[in-house]
Every structure is written in structure tokens, then in C-alpha cells.
Amino acid sequence: VRLATILEASGPVVAVVRGERVLAADLPAPELRSIVGLAGAGPAGLDLVRAWADAQPAGAWRPLAEVVLGPAVAHPGAIYTIGLNYRAPGEAPGSGPDRPLVYGKAATSVGAPGGVLDWDRSVTDDVDAEVELGVVIGQAAFAVAPEDALRHVFGYTIVNDVSARDPHLDGDQWLLGKSLPGFCPVGPWVVTPDELDPADLRLGCTINGEAIQDGRTSDMRFGVAEIVAFLSRHLVLRPGDLIATGTPARLATPPGPGRRLRPGDTVTARIEGIGELTTSIG
Amino acid sequence: VRLATILEASGPVVAVVRGERVLAADLPAPELRSIVGLAGAGPAGLDLVRAWADAQPAGAWRPLAEVVLGPAVAHPGAIYTIGLNYRAPGEAPGSGPDRPLVYGKAATSVGAPGGVLDWDRSVTDDVDAEVELGVVIGQAAFAVAPEDALRHVFGYTIVNDVSARDPHLDGDQWLLGKSLPGFCPVGPWVVTPDELDPADLRLGCTINGEAIQDGRTSDMRFGVAEIVAFLSRHLVLRPGDLIATGTPARLATPPGPGRRLRPGDTVTARIEGIGELTTSIG
């Protein structure tokens, strides 16, 4: 099932997406009206949403173009990002990190698909975009083995891990350079694992139609199960926590000043089997 | 006012502490029964708690020894820690970082005052303790000036920023080494700013009665207002977010293996004007 979060007058609510149509999941149980709530409810929660959607009349479904999408995960409890997780073309075997490198990104940085990203340029004027496969945690995970880890995955989405590159915000201060409001566009929706195997998906990013990244998730050093298991050895993962699993190599490295995001740019992050996540730079 | 979080059969609830007595704040408004909720409610929320406490009969107050304290902030939205924030004795002027160094610590790592801290030693067996002044954010802050920042502080508490020192968990992976469950004892209560000026408080830490740290908050490189303002330039601070403002120099540096936390140790973190936060190592 594909689950978006749409913005209604009453606030964000989960919606089922089928093709070009969408149905707000106005379920009587408020805890099932958010991705975080659904993620914690386990398979029974998803079954309920599916059955409920099947029972609605065709006229209840609206065209996608008529709703406003919010961040696919409206209020994640935490966002973790994995650094240097894609093998570069031609790199020597064994040259990367020997375990996932984990950084935080403020949970308040989520942004909506199709949104406008604007920020105070006196904080940073050197910002770039990164397409990443986003993993949404389902039932809480602590100290799970890699072979059990995928049972704690609620679904997959696209994350644009917008990051400042100023020397004083990169490196040690990565958290700060990744956490401005809107620096984590996420969506357009969450696809549950029964519909998507994340092992070998094409993913890429364009700015104004020009490709800046074009890779495959099979080039990850650490796959989804290893990342979830590794993180869960060190901290408790909660329903709806979001993990951005790293970004593929850039087509032009080092990224020149022309790759910095500028007002008027349109950034599109794409992952096969999920869709497109577009952000306009304000 | 001093606000603890006590564990009742119904879950954690805010309690007013006066001397050696405590009163559960069983307010009719559920959003005022947690520190996060009260922190977001602004001055009116605190006024209501004070007035309500004043109106209760003396017999409603229980001895502190008869309640079970939970983490003073039961469910912070985020925990940020500041690295290298205390001047070392005799250090050359201008030798420290020129801006706060910010790291994340998982919000799920909070632990209770008087609690037992135990963890899987195969993850790390090289863990130490750090006393830190904890700042609890009140009303949400974004891009606030230093001169306005203290208006966004709900109160102060003690944080023991328990940290792994293994090379693969320190440095770049600091988040991982600080985030195991229980690695953030916080309490014993939150003291609101009308009762406490954080500018020059003695703070220290002992293991089994032996001092390992003994400093003053006046040795912070960046004070509370500067930290809150700086963080708020880069991310949205929400009610109940917790900032651990850094730890004073160790009395013996580098910390030898004898300072590693071992089963049976009793760690006590103290801050003048707040109290003591004790943790037993399991």
C-alpha cells in the first residue's frame, strides 16, 4: 500500500494512494490517522487501512492533483542519516568505512513534496541536495539481528537530505548543517515492503532537469537490514523514526558552485518504485 | 517552582516538589501533566500549577522518599549536547572552539534519578560519566537573538551525559556512543528560572564518593543564552527539548581505566541550586 500524508483543515492525515487517486484514511481511531501511529500499530493497523479503503465507494477517491501533500512522515520522532554509504565508481575494495556512519538530523526539518524551500542565507549560502532511500521504522527495534531487522521496517520513501557545505557546518557540525526547517523533504508517500524490495532500485537527483546523481541502491555499503540492526544495537528505534540511508556518488565531483541550490531551482529526487519528490528553491 | 516527574500507576506525571515533600499535579488538563506539555503552555501553565498546588491541603503532599521519580523530562522531543564547552584550567585564551559544537543524543536515552544503568558490554565496555547543566526549552524557539533566548527556557536540571569512549563510538560516531537506553539520566527535577540563575553554579561528579569533576558554570565558553540562540539559528527548538550544555574538566586527565564505569559503581552528579542525580551501575 502507498500512504501519503495530506493536509486537511483539521491537520495532517494519512491517505491511501492508488494510481492517480487518493483517499483520506478518516479512520475512527485517531492513532491510525498518522504514519507514526500506523507504523506502531503493526500489521493489523495496515490490514485495517486496506480493508477500510476497499470498502469506500469509488466516488470517495479524489484526484491526487486536488490534495495538498504534507511531509510523508509528518512528525518523525527522530531522523538518522548514514554517511558515505555508497561505493564510488572504481573505488578500491575495502576503502570505505567498516560500519555505518550515523548522524542526526533534526526531526523538525521535514518538508513537503512539491514544497518551496527557503532559508536565511546569512546562516548558509552553500547548500546542496542528496537523494536518499528513506526507511520508516515500524514496530520499535532494539538490539535486533540483521535477519530480523526488516520486520521492523514499516515502509520506504524518498528523502532529500539537504545539507549545508560551509566548513563550519559540515563535518563535526553536520547535525546543524542538515537541520534547518524544510531541509528534509520527504515523500511523496511511503510504500510498504510488500510492494517494494529496496535491494536494487535506481535512484537519482536532478536540478532543473540536469542529473547530478544517478545510482542504484545495490551500491550501498550497508543495506537496509544491516543499518537497522546496527542502529538498534546503539539506540531504541521507535515507530515512525526515519533513516536516510545515504546518497549515491555525484556525477560531477567535487560539486562546483553551479551545483549549489539557488533561488528558482527545481530539485527532483527520484527512486524507482516509489516516485518523485520535487522541491522548489525559494 | 521545582517540577519532578513521578511514576504513577497511570504513567509518568508532573509533581511539584517543596522541600522534602511532593505533590502529583493531577490537573484536569492532560497537556499540563507532562513537562513537555507544561513547557509548551507558557507562563500561564506554570501559574496554574502553582495556584493549584497552593490550594491543596497539607495532607495531599507526600514525602519524596515515598514516590518513584522518573526521568525529569520523560519524553523530550530531542536532546542536544554541546562539546568542549568548558574552559580547561590554565588554557590559552582563544584556544577553544569559536562556536558551540553540537551533537545529538537519542531522546530515548533518558534515565531516572536513582536508577540502575546497565547495558550490553559487547557494544561498549568503555563508558564514562559527565555532569552537565540541562536546559529544558519552553516555548518553541527559532532564530531568536541571544538577548531574547532566556525567555525560551522553561527550566534547568542535571544531566549525566553518559558516553562511550571506544574509538569507533567517539568522535564522528558520538551520537551512537551517547544514546543507549539510560545513557541520559536527567533530574532529579526541573527548577524554573525564577528560582535559579545558571550563570555561576558549582557543579561536579563523583564515582563512589570520589570526585572526578568539580567546576563552575561560569567556566562555560558559551552560556545558556548563546547556546539557545545559536541552536535556534539552525533548527527549531520545541517545548521540552533538552540541551546538555557541556561538561567541566576532569580532575584527572586523561581519564584512566579506573574511571570507567563498572558494575556496582554509584555515580552522583551535583549542581548547586538543583540537587543531586544518582545512578547505580548494573
Side-chain angles (χ1 to χ4, degrees):
Chain A
V1 59
R2 300 181 164 230
L3 297 165
T5 296
I6 63 174
L7 302 180
E8 305 260 71
S10 60
V13 64
V14 165
V16 180
V17 178
R18 289 183 181 167
E20 292 300 311
R21 299 190 85 77
V22 61
L23 176 72
D26 285 320
L27 295 161
E31 66 275 17
L32 301 182
R33 290 167 55 93
S34 73
I35 291 289
V36 171
L38 262 180
L46 267 184
D47 288 348
L48 199 151
V49 169
R50 273 196 205 90
W52 178 87
D54 289 343
Q56 304 310 304
W61 293 76
R62 282 181 281 171
L64 257 175
E66 288 181 11
V67 300
V68 178
L69 296 179
V73 186
H75 299 291
I79 306 174
Y80 301 106
T81 68
I82 309 298
L84 306 177
N85 196 36
Y86 277 74
R87 287 180 287 269
E91 78 170 32
S95 61
D98 65 351
R99 68 199 75 211
L101 297 177
V102 181
Y103 299 87
K105 190 169 175 102
T108 51
S109 65
V110 291
V116 176
L117 173 60
D118 200 357
W119 69 93
D120 179 353
R121 265 63 176 192
S122 78
V123 177
T124 172
D125 198 17
D126 188 2
V127 169
D128 66 14
E130 297 186 335
V131 60
E132 308 202 9
L133 176 71
V135 173
V136 181
I137 294 296
Q139 294 189 287
F142 183 62
V144 298
E147 57 269 30
D148 297 325
L150 293 182
R151 284 196 265 146
H152 295 266
V153 172
F154 177 73
Y156 301 100
T157 188
I158 306 171
V159 169
N160 182 350
D161 183 15
V162 179
S163 303
R165 294 305 175 201
D166 313 70
H168 65 279
L169 290 175
D170 212 349
D172 276 358
Q173 298 280 63
W174 225 340
L175 169 68
L176 288 182
K178 288 176 174 289
S179 291
L180 279 161
F183 268 37
C184 189
V186 51
W189 34 67
V190 177
V191 182
T192 52
D194 55 303
E195 290 198 13
L196 191 75
D197 178 348
D200 185 25
L201 303 172
R202 187 174 177 186
L203 78 173
C205 189
T206 62
I207 299 179
N208 306 327
E210 184 197 357
I212 62 163
Q213 297 180 288
D214 185 5
R216 300 198 72 87
T217 57
S218 48
D219 282 326
M220 285 188 185
R221 297 182 204 281
F222 305 99
V224 172
E226 287 170 284
I227 289 170
V228 170
F230 180 79
L231 266 169
S232 84
R233 260 176 78 76
H234 298 91
L235 51 82
V236 175
L237 291 168
R238 292 176 295 180
D241 280 0
L242 182 60
I243 304 169
T245 56
T247 202
R250 277 163 199 286
L251 294 176
T253 49
R259 299 312 194 199
R260 288 183 190 179
L261 299 180
R262 292 184 171 156
D265 279 347
T266 298
V267 182
T268 302
R270 280 187 190 83
I271 301 182
E272 181 184 357
I274 303 178
E276 285 188 5
L277 173 68
T278 296
T279 305
S280 302
I281 307 305
Chain B
V1 61
R2 300 180 164 231
L3 297 165
T5 296
I6 64 175
L7 302 180
E8 305 259 73
S10 60
V13 64
V14 165
V16 180
V17 178
R18 290 183 181 167
E20 292 300 311
R21 301 189 84 76
V22 61
L23 176 73
D26 285 321
L27 295 160
E31 67 274 19
L32 301 182
R33 290 166 55 93
S34 73
I35 292 288
V36 171
L38 262 180
L46 267 184
D47 287 347
L48 199 151
V49 168
R50 272 196 205 93
W52 179 87
D54 290 342
Q56 303 309 303
W61 294 75
R62 283 181 282 171
L64 257 176
E66 288 181 12
V67 300
V68 179
L69 296 179
V73 185
H75 300 292
I79 306 175
Y80 301 107
T81 67
I82 310 298
L84 307 178
N85 196 35
Y86 277 75
R87 287 181 285 269
E91 79 169 34
S95 61
D98 65 351
R99 67 198 76 210
L101 297 177
V102 181
Y103 300 86
K105 188 169 174 104
T108 51
S109 64
V110 291
V116 175
L117 173 59
D118 200 357
W119 68 92
D120 179 353
R121 264 63 174 192
S122 78
V123 177
T124 172
D125 198 17
D126 187 1
V127 169
D128 65 14
E130 298 186 333
V131 59
E132 308 203 8
L133 176 71
V135 173
V136 181
I137 294 296
Q139 293 188 289
F142 183 63
V144 297
E147 57 268 30
D148 297 325
L150 293 183
R151 286 196 263 147
H152 295 266
V153 172
F154 178 72
Y156 301 100
T157 187
I158 307 172
V159 169
N160 182 350
D161 182 16
V162 178
S163 303
R165 295 303 175 202
D166 312 71
H168 65 280
L169 290 176
D170 212 349
D172 275 359
Q173 297 281 62
W174 225 340
L175 170 67
L176 289 182
K178 288 176 174 285
S179 291
L180 279 161
F183 268 37
C184 188
V186 52
W189 34 68
V190 177
V191 181
T192 52
D194 55 304
E195 290 197 14
L196 191 75
D197 178 348
D200 185 25
L201 303 172
R202 187 172 176 188
L203 79 174
C205 188
T206 63
I207 299 178
N208 306 327
E210 184 197 356
I212 62 163
Q213 296 180 287
D214 185 5
R216 301 198 71 87
T217 56
S218 48
D219 282 327
M220 285 187 184
R221 296 181 205 282
F222 304 100
V224 172
E226 285 170 284
I227 290 169
V228 169
F230 180 78
L231 267 168
S232 85
R233 259 177 79 77
H234 298 91
L235 50 81
V236 175
L237 292 167
R238 292 176 295 180
D241 280 359
L242 182 61
I243 305 169
T245 55
T247 202
R250 280 164 197 287
L251 295 176
T253 48
R259 300 309 196 200
R260 288 183 190 179
L261 299 180
R262 290 181 173 159
D265 280 347
T266 299
V267 182
T268 302
R270 280 187 191 83
I271 301 183
E272 181 185 358
I274 304 177
E276 285 188 7
L277 174 67
T278 295
T279 305
S280 302
I281 307 304

